[in-house]
Amino acid sequence: MSGGLGQSSGLPTSPSGAAESSGPNQANSAATGINATNFVSRSGYSCQQLSVLMIQACGLLLAQLPPEFHMQLYSEAARAIKDCWWLADGSRPVKELDSAVGYALLDPTWASQDNTSTAIGNIVALLHSFFSNLPQEWLESTHTVIKHLRPVNSVAMLRIAFRILGPLLPRLAFARPLFMKTLALLFNVLGDVFGKNPQVSNPNPVEASEIADIIDFLHHAVMYEGQGGPVQSTSKPKLEILTLCGKVIEILRPDVQHLLSHLKIDPTSSIYAATHPKLVQTHPNNVIAYKCILMMQDASNHCRSLNM
């Protein structure tokens, strides 16, 4: 394939042309003439583009294997992540560790330039490709890789765990029981580092502001499930999800709980709870507050229409 990655999203055809060869001599010469340099140069792709395609192809192939193999894959992937020299080196400063993992998760090609966390990025990318090719009924087993990573003892590992399961949530938004299990697992992983009783004692605990992106992600995931698709300005979480969040949030430190208080079922701290008809019915004292909020929303919508 002579075009670049931007011209076609398909996998490259065999650069040797062996599948189209008409005789054994051609096949033999093609087989003996292939090496890494020839493959890259004749494929029409750069090394980075070709590595991405290779990871995608491997994920597709691995997903065809039976579930018994999946368990071994999850175990080995977790082991490889935990054994990565960058994570295993306890002398690395926390900021340096977070930066290296951030490079690996945002774009593995960045990390490859200084050989920091390429393995982590490639493994996470392989898992994403693998997950995307699994049928819905096998997705619950994906929790296994996170369970092998626990207890999580750093923000860097926390980001890896969230990054592994993050792309699954849109698929799980239409399967509520599995979505709730996955959300509860992510909250428990968050509790490993930011819980009232963290797994690893740290004389200099990380500030809650350092994980603002993770808080935003949890909020977005809950709203996505409530909307049943891309988040809109009117999206609201479902009552079952608010109830779950209200329970699992209790394991977190007070400062982190504060950032997630809008996902509780307490009408005094969550506008979603205060405007939910079922919760208002169970809390008669909040009926007046509920009506006031609805009046404010109507007024806001009216002003918006006048501006239009």
Side-chain angles (χ1 to χ4, degrees), residues 298-308:
D298 289 340
S300 176
N301 292 334
H302 181 64
C303 291
R304 202 175 291 119
S305 64
L306 290 177
N307 290 333
M308 293 175 63

Side-chain angles (χ1 to χ4, degrees), residues 47 74 211:
C47 291
Y74 297 143
I211 57 166

Side-chain angles (χ1 to χ4, degrees), residues 178-192:
L178 185 51
F179 178 86
M180 294 178 71
K181 286 183 180 180
T182 306
L183 189 64
L185 176 61
L186 290 175
F187 269 105
N188 278 282
V189 172
L190 184 61
D192 285 350

Side-chain angles (χ1 to χ4, degrees), residues 71-205:
M71 297 299 104
Q72 297 182 45
L73 173 63
Y74 297 143
S75 175
E76 182 62 19
R79 184 203 62 78
I81 290 174
K82 289 192 293 186
D83 289 350
C84 177
W85 69 271
W86 199 258
L87 286 172
D89 187 353
S91 64
R92 297 285 176 180
V94 174
K95 292 290 185 182
E96 193 174 353
L97 179 62
D98 288 344
S99 177
V101 171
Y103 273 120
L105 297 181
L106 291 173
D107 186 351
T109 59
W110 291 0
S112 67
Q113 295 175 9
D114 53 6
N115 192 29
T116 52
S117 306
T118 310
I120 295 176
N122 287 341
I123 292 170
V124 172
L126 177 63
L127 289 172
H128 286 172
S129 176
F130 178 73
F131 293 164
S132 67
N133 289 288
L134 287 181
Q136 191 81 11
E137 59 269 22
W138 287 355
L139 290 181
E140 187 169 355
S141 66
T142 58
H143 294 181
T144 306
V145 66
I146 305 301
K147 293 176 181 177
H148 281 299
L149 289 175
R150 298 186 68 191
V152 172
N153 55 16
S154 68
V155 175
M157 188 67 81
L158 177 66
R159 293 188 188 284
I160 292 172
F162 268 75
R163 182 66 170 177
I164 288 174
L165 288 185
L168 276 179
L169 292 178
R171 290 187 65 185
L172 303 182
F174 304 98
R176 177 160 298 165
L178 185 51
F179 178 86
M180 294 178 71
K181 286 183 180 180
T182 306
L183 189 64
L185 176 61
L186 290 175
F187 269 105
N188 278 282
V189 172
L190 184 61
D192 285 350
V193 183
F194 292 92
K196 293 177 180 176
N197 300 302
Q199 294 291 330
V200 179
S201 59
N202 188 348
N204 299 309

Side-chain angles (χ1 to χ4, degrees), residues 271 275 288-304:
I271 188 174
T275 58
I288 296 178
Y290 171 64
K291 291 181 178 179
C292 289
I293 292 174
L294 291 182
M295 291 175 61
M296 292 173 63
Q297 289 178 338
D298 289 340
S300 176
N301 292 334
H302 181 64
C303 291
R304 202 175 291 119

Side-chain angles (χ1 to χ4, degrees), residues 24-35:
N25 292 335
Q26 282 182 303
N28 290 336
S29 63
T32 57
I34 293 178
N35 57 40

Side-chain angles (χ1 to χ4, degrees), residues 240-304:
E240 297 86 346
I241 301 299
L242 280 180
T243 303
L244 170 68
C245 290
K247 293 179 180 178
V248 292
I249 286 172
E250 292 301 319
I251 68 175
L252 303 175
R253 288 173 4 198
D255 57 335
V256 181
Q257 282 191 38
H258 176 71
L259 297 178
L260 292 163
S261 59
H262 59 287
L263 296 181
K264 293 183 176 182
I265 59 172
D266 181 4
T268 63
S269 63
S270 170
I271 188 174
Y272 304 118
T275 58
H276 199 291
K278 291 184 179 179
L279 290 176
V280 171
Q281 291 173 7
T282 59
H283 296 81
N285 293 334
N286 294 307
V287 172
I288 296 178
Y290 171 64
K291 291 181 178 179
C292 289
I293 292 174
L294 291 182
M295 291 175 61
M296 292 173 63
Q297 289 178 338
D298 289 340
S300 176
N301 292 334
H302 181 64
C303 291
R304 202 175 291 119

